[in-house]
């Protein structure tokens, strides 16, 4: 980068995606998302890690923002104000409670002060609230989101004793990783049936090569080889690997290669060692790497 | 006969008179001998001779026989002995006769021949040596006699001194056993002539053995006969000397030393043999017991290292030998870790066993399919059409490799070779050699396949034509047949039908259909093999540039061993040329001058299929073209000067390629194929212009024979492989077209085998051996196919008793029987008391299984243990938000204070506490023991981590040895065995965790016979009985899950535990007679099972189902909806996965 990037800070509901995030669609997911947004139907993104779920949401937030300012004279802007669409992302983890999403009282000098949680902010600002890896969150959070996902579009805040009707632009998007056939961490039906679902998988070899080349800036031939490596490693899923190599890993390898790290070494540090600790599997992946890369 | 001297006269006469009293032959022989001796012997001597004879005869009752022999032998003996010695000879005989007339008989009998070899002065000694064996018994006399009799033969090779030693040895041995001594005598007679020069040494050894452990002498002679003879004279002496030294020090197995020693010496290069024996000697000097071990292991060691490297390994061993004999023995048996490590570090060879898992996973990564990796020998042993045990190959689902690679000097290169061959073999799978589709168009060539006539088609057409003609002859009758009394028979009408429609010939595989196009199938196969292999190589080069360095090394090596083109007849020379082109040879390309243009064309074809976009169909089309070129070339013997260099290809003739897309004119090819003779050689009258290939009448023309295999490409058998892999492909849905394939019949298979060029069958009819071979192979192949047919893997019902389906409720009157209701989903209600459980305690088996499983999986055991240990700290975790506890939870207090200020009711859970979350888990494992668990899983399909091959070198060698000693016996495992293994490993760890658990199995037939086996009850302690019962787990009958689950629930309900689990391990959907209504409504069983699981949940039990049924996903969704389950992709993962699941589930 030529110019040094200074850090910037803003409130979550003021985060807009301003530059177009690179995204290569694998099918009609963009159209579906747009249609769903127009109808304010909540969306569930399923897929293994590194298949571009988060990137897709970013891309859509940007794309919809572009579309927010009316494209044709007759068309009403999406949120009615002609503003960009905020994107509030919450990465869920196992200790994430409902109040982490909704908000809580804090102590300060004069007494207590209510602070809105990210979900509340998104509801008020009328943006997309993206709950990443929703299954990881505690069960009580899912109850909170139910009224937001049906015709009510409301958020109840117990502690305040208030109900918020969501702003027009608000949409809930959640993602989860169905994972390794393990039903232990699964979404309840009462939750999952409130969303339309978009399934994500790794892009095909050509698309992935394009993505790698774009994201890492490496040579297209290298990108093609990395993409091939990705395909081969994913063949090992459920036979020693719990997850396939994510596109992200391959991009990292591409970046290192661009920096002059030898191909094999770059793959080793960014793919092989990252993906597994099993020496046997590592060795096998190494062999695939040395077959593909001269 | 006239003598002057009275006294002389008297002795001779006296003898004559006296001998007359004995049986007639005595006198007769006396007279004969006397006649011949008179005149040759001095008179006095003659008298004495006669007198001695008389003495002998008089000795005992039976001694006249000896006398007769004496007279008989005298003539011959006298010729060789001076008279003094002659009489001494006679006297010796007389004294022998005093001991035993039999000895004397034997002595005299063998004398004439023995005297040819024996110095006269040794006569006495000789007699004494033999007589020493005599101890007054019948057996000893027989032995002694045998030695007399054997003397002439023995003396042919033995010096007298050696003979005496041998006699001494026999004497020593005979003290123990006359039989052994007798055997040794016979063996010696055979052996000695073959080891002349070392006889004395050997006898010395034998003598020591006879003294130390006489029982082993027989084995010693056996092994000496077997091994010493083979051994060159130079190394015989040192080896015997070595054995002798070792025997003296107490290593008693002289025979083994000779055998192993000879075997080993013969297997090492001659220049190293001396050193080898020296090395053994130096080991013997330090540790006698280790030396034989060394001799024995040397061939194994040399398979992995060079001789010099072995020297280093040996000197290391000597160091160890100084410590203790045990250590030395272990070292030289390759059983000690140090020995193994040392060898590993010296060795550059790679054993398949060691890299099996890596290669298997590598292949999986490349293809995305579970590819098995096995030693090539295993495929050859199956005897289904592959014969080479050393060459790599594949049959579409498994790749076969040499069991050890020792071609290069470094480990890296040897592994590289493994990688090259696996990449190539797996390339056939990855790039679709076996999904050849006859009808799929080629992207590169105009499709000739549909336009060419197949042999079968031709035959069918011909038959149809004939039938039509036959029908035509009769047709007038039919047409005008309104009044004719003759009705057309069924045969005619059929023939008429046939004439209208030529029956389409059927083929088992598209590949068979393809090869049916060719008259010269062998040539077609060879050409196709080269082209297809080139195509694979081309793909590899394009997609895996990283491996090309090694690939090229291997290809260059393959080129080096190719036969000289100029030695081959014309057509073979061109096929060889193709192979060379495909291996990347560019320069120095000799081709027959006459056929330069043909060579150019086939080279073009190879280049074309080597580009990356090609498919197997392209290779097939190319093969048609190459074949049509080559089939025209006579296979004539050529002289060296009939060959010419072919100019290298022009680099940029790309433009030319696009101009004329086909290398040769398609119409020409078709014309030529139309004219080709059928393979049966039936009709070739219309195509005289086409040269016949196997016509021996033409001079100089040779029968065509296939080129030598290229080592890294191995045996390529497209037809068989396609046939074998079809099954699997169909299962995985990749072969949609043949979705509903008819079951293959024996006849079809036989026909395919007869026609397939790759089967290499001797076509000579009537040859019994060949026929037998064919039928054996056929049988094996049928079996193999059945094994692969997914249809066959379905449940097969066990012996069924009469089951009352429509009867009423049952009642449990007998002890240990329980009744349970069953859910009828159609009626949406329970059928009360519908099923009867018979609870039994599993009988006791052997405890080995449990122990061995733990030992075999020691690394996994350790891993599971580690996992389970992690569970324990989890129990001590800090627990937050409790109503009371050790201390305030600061976060919670803060929140509560805020709530208070705001005026909201604060949460009361303000405390945290440790160590209160006591683990209270009860789990019941319910094993499916249905008959289908008897299904074999392939041994080679091990889990990705090869638990079978221990990491520990000692164990590894033991394992390796046992595998070797088992030879090629296939060990196969059943699903139930894997279930057992899984349970064993889990039980072992569960004991550490302290959870309450029970193990139950269920099976049965019909609703009144649901068998429920207790292997370990929930409240039962783990006693030595449990491993015994686990051993008895075996496949039984059907799978009625519902009642078994209900019974388990009942058991779990009696146990007090905070969390209770029911862990169901099954291999397929529930089925039983009457459990699915004649198989029409499979849902019945599924719904009942589901209902029982719901009951479990209502009882506060968490059910979990683990299945290994590949088709599990479909019905499991229904059955387990809302419940947790897992479908294992590979049964062999079970032992590893089970503890993981258990841990996840219960924490």
């Amino acid at each position: 980068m030529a110019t040094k990037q200074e850090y910037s800070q803003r409130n979550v509901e003021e985060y807009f995606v301003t530059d177009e995030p690179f995204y290569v669609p694998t099918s009609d997911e963009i159209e579906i998302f747009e249609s769903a947004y127009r109808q304010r139907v909540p969306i569930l993104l399923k897929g293994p890690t590194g298949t571009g779920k988060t990137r897709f949401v970013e891309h859509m937030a940007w794309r919809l923002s572009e579309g927010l300012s009316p494209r044709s004279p007759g068309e009403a802007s999406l949120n009615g104000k002609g503003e960009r669409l905020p994107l509030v992302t919450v990465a869920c983890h196992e200790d994430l409670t409902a109040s982490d999403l909704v908000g809580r009282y804090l102590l300060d000098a004069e007494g207590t002060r209510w602070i809105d949680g990210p979900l509340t902010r998104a509801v008020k600002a009328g943006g997309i609230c993206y709950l990443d890896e929703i299954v990881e969150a505690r069960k009580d959070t899912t109850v909170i989101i139910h009224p937001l996902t049906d015709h009510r579009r409301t958020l109840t805040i117990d502690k305040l004793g208030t109900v918020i009707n969501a702003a027009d632009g608000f949409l809930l998007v959640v993602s989860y990783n169905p994972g390794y056939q393990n039903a232990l961490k699964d979404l309840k039906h009462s939750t999952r049936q409130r969303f339309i679902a978009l399934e994500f998988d790794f892009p095909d070899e050509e698309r992935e090569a394009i993505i790698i080349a774009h994201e890492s800036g490496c040579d297209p031939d290298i990108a093609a080889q990395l993409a091939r490596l990705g395909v081969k490693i994913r063949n090992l899923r459920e036979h020693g690997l719990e997850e396939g190599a994510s596109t992200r890993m391959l991009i990292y390898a591409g970046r290192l290669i661009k920096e002059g790290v030898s191909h094999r070494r770059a793959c080793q540090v960014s793919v092989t060692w990252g993906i597994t600790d099993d020496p046997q599997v590592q060795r096998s992946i190494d062999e695939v790497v040395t077959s593909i890369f001269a | 006969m006239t003598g002057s001297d009275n006294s002389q006269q008297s002795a001779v006469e006296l003898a004559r008179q006296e001998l007359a009293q004995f049986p007639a032959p005595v006198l007769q022989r006396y007279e004969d001998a006397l006649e011949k001796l008179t005149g040759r012997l001095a008179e006095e001597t003659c008298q004495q001779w006669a007198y001695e004879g008389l003495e002998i005869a008089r000795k005992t009752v039976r001694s006249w026989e000896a006398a007769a022999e004496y007279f008989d032998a005298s003539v011959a003996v006298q010729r060789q002995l001076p008279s003094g010695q002659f009489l001494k000879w006679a006297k010796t005989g007389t004294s022998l006769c005093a001991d035993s007339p039999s000895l004397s008989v034997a002595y005299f009998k063998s004398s004439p021949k023995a005297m040819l070899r024996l110095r006269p002065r040794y006569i006495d000694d000789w007699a004494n040596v033999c007589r020493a064996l005599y101890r007054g018994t019948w057996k000893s006399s027989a032995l002694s006699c045998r030695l007399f009799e054997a003397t002439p033969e023995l003396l042919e090779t033995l010096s007298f001194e050696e003979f005496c030693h041998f006699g001494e040895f026999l004497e020593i041995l005979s003290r123990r056993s006359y039989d052994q001594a007798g055997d040794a005598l016979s063996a010696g007679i055979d052996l000695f002539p073959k080891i002349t020069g070392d006889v004395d040494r050997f006898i010395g050894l034998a003598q020591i053995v006879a003294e130390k452990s006489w029982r082993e002498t027989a084995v010693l002679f056996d092994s000496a006969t077997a091994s010493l003879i083979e051994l060159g004279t130079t190394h015989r002496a040192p080896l015997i000397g070595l054995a002798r030294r070792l025997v003296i020090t107490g290593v008693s197995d002289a025979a083994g030393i000779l055998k192993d020693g000879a075997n080993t010496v013969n297997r090492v290069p001659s220049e190293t043999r001396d050193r080898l024996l020296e090395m053994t000697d130096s080991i013997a000097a330090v540790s006698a017991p280790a030396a034989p071990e060394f001799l024995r292991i040397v061939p194994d060691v040399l398979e992995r290292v060079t001789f010099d490297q072995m020297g280093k390994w040996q000197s290391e061993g000597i160091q160890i030998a100084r410590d203790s004999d045990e250590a030395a023995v272990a070292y030289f048996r390759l059983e000690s870790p140090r020995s193994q490590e040392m060898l590993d570090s010296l060795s550059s060879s790679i054993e398949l066993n060691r890299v099996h898992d890596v290669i298997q996973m590598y292949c999986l990564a490349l293809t995305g399919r579970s590819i098995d990796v096995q030693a090539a020998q295993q495929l050859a042993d199956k005897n289904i059409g592959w014969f080479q045990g050393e060459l790599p190959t594949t049959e579409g689902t498994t790749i076969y490799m040499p069991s050890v690679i020792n071609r290069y000097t470094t480990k890296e290169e040897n592994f590289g070779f493994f990688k090259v061959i696996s990449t190539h073999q797996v390339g056939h799978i990855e790039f679709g050699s076996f999904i050849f589709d006859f009808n799929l168009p080629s992207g590169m060539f105009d499709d000739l396949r549909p336009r060419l006539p197949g042999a079968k088609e031709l035959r069918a057409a011909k038959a149809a034509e004939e039938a039509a003609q036959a029908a035509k002859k009769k047709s007038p009758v039919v047409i005008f047949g309104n009044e004719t009394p003759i009705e057309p028979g069924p045969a005619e009408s059929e023939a008429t039908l046939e004439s209208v429609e030529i029956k389409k010939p059927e083929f088992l595989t598209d590949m068979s259909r393809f090869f049916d196009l060719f008259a010269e199938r062998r040539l077609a196969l060879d050409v196709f093999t080269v082209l297809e292999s080139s195509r694979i190589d081309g793909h590899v080069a394009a997609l895996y540039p990283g491996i090309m360095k090694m690939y090229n090394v291997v290809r260059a090596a393959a080129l080096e061993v190719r036969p000289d083109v100029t030695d081959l007849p014309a057509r073979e020379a061109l096929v060889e040329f193709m192979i060379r082109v495909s291996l990347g040879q560019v320069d120095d390309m000799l081709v027959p001058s006459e056929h330069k243009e043909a060579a150019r064309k086939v080279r073009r074809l190879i280049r074309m299929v080597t580009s990356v976009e090609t498919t197997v169909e392209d290779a097939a089309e190319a093969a048609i073209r190459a074949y049509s070129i080559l089939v025209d070339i006579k296979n004539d013997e050529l002289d060296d000067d009939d060959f010419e260099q072919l100019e290298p290809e022009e680099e940029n003739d790309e433009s030319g390629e696009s101009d004329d897309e086909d290398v040769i004119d398609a119409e020409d090819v078709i014309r030529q194929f139309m004219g080709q003779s059928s393979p049966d050689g039936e009709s070739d009258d219309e195509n005289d212009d086409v040269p016949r290939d196997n016509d021996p009448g033409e001079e100089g023309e040779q029968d065509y024979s296939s080129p030598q295999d290229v080592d890294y490409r191995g045996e390529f058998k497209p037809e068989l492989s396609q046939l074998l892999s079809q099954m699997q492909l169909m299962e995985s849905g990749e072969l949609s077209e043949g979705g509903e394939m008819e079951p293959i019949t024996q006849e079809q298979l036989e026909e395919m085998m007869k026609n397939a060029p790759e089967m290499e069958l001797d076509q000579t009819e009537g040859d019994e051996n060949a026929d037998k071979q064919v039928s054996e192979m056929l049988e094996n192949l049928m079996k193999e196919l059945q094994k692969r047919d997914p249809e066959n893997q379905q449940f097969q019902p066990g012996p069924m008793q009469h089951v009352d389906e429509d009867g009423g409720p049952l009642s449990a009157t007998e002890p240990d029987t329980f009744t349970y209701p069953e859910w009828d989903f159609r009626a949406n209600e329970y059928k009360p008391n519908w099923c009867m459980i018979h609870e039994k305690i599993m009988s006791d088996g052997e405890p080995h299984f449990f122990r061995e499983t733990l030992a075999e999986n020691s690394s996994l055991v350790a891993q599971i243990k580690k996992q389970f240990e992690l569970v324990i700290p989890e129990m001590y975790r800090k627990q937050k938000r409790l109503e009371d506890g050790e201390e305030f939870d600061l976060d919670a207090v803060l929140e509560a204070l805020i709530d208070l200020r705001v005026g909201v009711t604060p949460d009361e859970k303000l405390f945290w506490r440790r160590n209160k979350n006591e683990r209270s888990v009860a789990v019941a494992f319910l094993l499916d023991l249905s008959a289908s668990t008897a299904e074999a899983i392939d041994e080679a399909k091990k889990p990705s981590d090869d638990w079978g091959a221990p990491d520990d070198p000692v164990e590894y060698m033991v394992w390796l040895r046992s595998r070797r000693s088992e030879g090629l016996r296939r060990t196969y495992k059943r699903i139930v065995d894997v279930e057992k293994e899984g349970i064993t490993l889990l039980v072992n760890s569960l004991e550490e965790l302290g959870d309450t658990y029970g193990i139950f199995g269920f099976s049965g037939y019909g609703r009144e016979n649901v068998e429920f086996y207790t292997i370990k009850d929930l409240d039962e302690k783990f006693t030595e009985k449990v491993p015994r019962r686990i051993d008895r787990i075996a496949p039984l009958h059907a799978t009625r899950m519902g009642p078994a689950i209900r019974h388990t629930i009942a058991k779990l309900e009696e146990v007090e535990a905070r969390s209770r689990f029911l862990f169901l391990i099954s291999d397929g959907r529930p089925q039983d007679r009457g459990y699915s209504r004649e198989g029409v409504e499979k849902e019945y069983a599924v719904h009942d099972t589901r209902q029982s699981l719901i009951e479990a949940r209502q009882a506060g039990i968490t059910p979990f189902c683990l299945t290994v049924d590949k088709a599990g996903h479909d019905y499991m969704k229904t059955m387990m909806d809302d419940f947790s389950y897992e479908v294992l992709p590979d049964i062999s993962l079970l032992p590893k996965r089970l503890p993981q699941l258990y841990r996840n589930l219960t924490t």
Side-chain angles (χ1 to χ4, degrees), chain B residues 11-47:
Chain B
V12 172
E13 281 307 315
L14 184 68
R16 187 172 285 143
Q17 283 161 21
E18 290 221 6
L19 290 175
Q21 304 164 13
F22 296 99
V26 184
L27 185 61
Q28 180 63 43
R29 290 186 193 184
Y30 170 70
E31 295 289 3
D32 287 353
L34 185 64
E35 190 183 355
K36 285 177 188 147
L37 287 173
T38 314
R40 281 167 47 190
L41 281 178
E43 301 217 340
E44 191 189 348
T45 321
C46 194
Q47 289 292 348

Side-chain angles (χ1 to χ4, degrees), chain B residues 527-788:
Chain B
V527 166
F528 178 68
T529 302
V530 179
L531 288 164
E532 179 62 10
S533 301
S534 312
R535 185 179 77 87
I536 301 298
D537 284 353
H539 276 76
V540 170
L543 295 179
Y544 304 115
I547 203 178
M548 284 321 284
K549 195 174 148 207
M550 191 62 205
Y551 216 92
N552 288 332
V553 169
V554 171
R555 297 217 294 184
L559 262 180
E560 261 171 40
V561 297
R562 296 309 302 172
D564 202 339
V565 176
T566 54
D567 291 344
L568 298 170
R571 196 196 286 175
E572 287 171 38
L574 274 165
V575 174
E576 183 59 33
F577 166 76
M578 283 179 78
I579 293 179
R580 283 165 172 271
V581 171
S582 79
L583 287 172
Q585 186 174 345
V586 195
D587 307 318
D588 196 25
M589 291 299 243
L590 285 168
V591 291
S593 324
E594 260 187 86
H595 307 302
K596 273 177 101 168
E597 189 45 39
R600 257 178 232 121
K601 281 179 179 168
V602 292
R603 185 169 66 185
R604 268 280 295 293
L605 285 169
I606 292 177
R607 293 283 175 255
M608 287 172 81
V609 297
T610 315
S611 68
V612 76
E613 288 88 9
T614 49
T615 61
V616 63
E617 285 79 19
D618 293 327
E621 287 293 332
I624 292 176
R625 286 157 177 78
Y627 170 85
S628 77
I629 296 168
L630 293 187
V631 80
D632 272 347
I633 294 170
K634 289 182 189 172
N635 204 24
D636 288 330
E637 278 291 1
L638 297 175
D639 293 330
D640 283 2
D641 44 353
D642 289 336
F643 285 86
E644 245 178 78
Q645 292 278 354
L646 187 68
E647 73 290 340
E649 252 167 320
E650 287 161 40
E651 280 301 318
N652 33 358
D653 56 354
E654 304 257 326
S655 52
E657 258 178 55
S658 53
D659 275 354
D660 54 325
E661 224 175 56
D662 244 332
V663 177
I664 58 171
D665 186 36
E667 298 309 318
D668 283 352
V669 176
I670 293 170
R671 231 170 289 130
Q672 192 210 18
F673 268 75
M674 285 300 191
Q676 79 186 354
S677 59
S678 76
D680 310 314
E682 277 165 9
S683 58
D684 51 335
D685 14 30
E686 68 270 62
N687 47 0
D688 281 334
D689 47 329
V690 177
R692 293 295 322 278
D693 310 282
N694 284 340
D695 193 347
E698 282 194 60
E699 56 181 309
E701 178 154 7
Q702 304 288 307
D703 278 353
Y704 171 76
S705 55
S706 290
Q708 156 197 332
D709 285 324
V710 178
D711 54 10
Y712 77 95
R713 291 175 181 169
E715 282 187 289
F716 178 55
K717 304 215 182 263
E719 270 187 67
L720 261 181
S721 306
Q722 188 170 35
L723 180 69
L724 289 170
S725 56
Q726 252 171 10
M727 298 285 176
Q728 262 102 341
L729 290 177
M730 263 164 50
E731 199 182 352
S732 59
E734 279 178 68
L735 208 81
S736 51
E737 187 201 2
E740 283 163 56
M741 207 169 73
E742 299 277 308
I744 294 168
T745 65
Q746 185 122 354
E747 289 72 36
Q748 282 175 308
L749 205 56
E750 197 167 347
E751 192 193 320
M752 190 201 109
M753 283 174 67
K754 287 226 166 97
N755 290 327
E758 63 197 40
M759 296 307 284
E760 296 175 26
L761 297 177
D762 240 345
Q763 290 287 7
T764 34
E765 293 283 325
D767 182 346
E768 259 181 48
N769 274 339
D771 282 355
K772 209 176 136 199
Q773 195 198 345
V774 171
S775 63
E776 255 174 42
M777 211 184 282
L778 195 67
E779 207 172 293
N780 294 335
L781 199 55
M782 273 314 266
K783 269 188 224 151
E784 188 69 25
L785 282 169
Q786 275 161 10
K787 228 166 42 189
R788 282 157 196 259

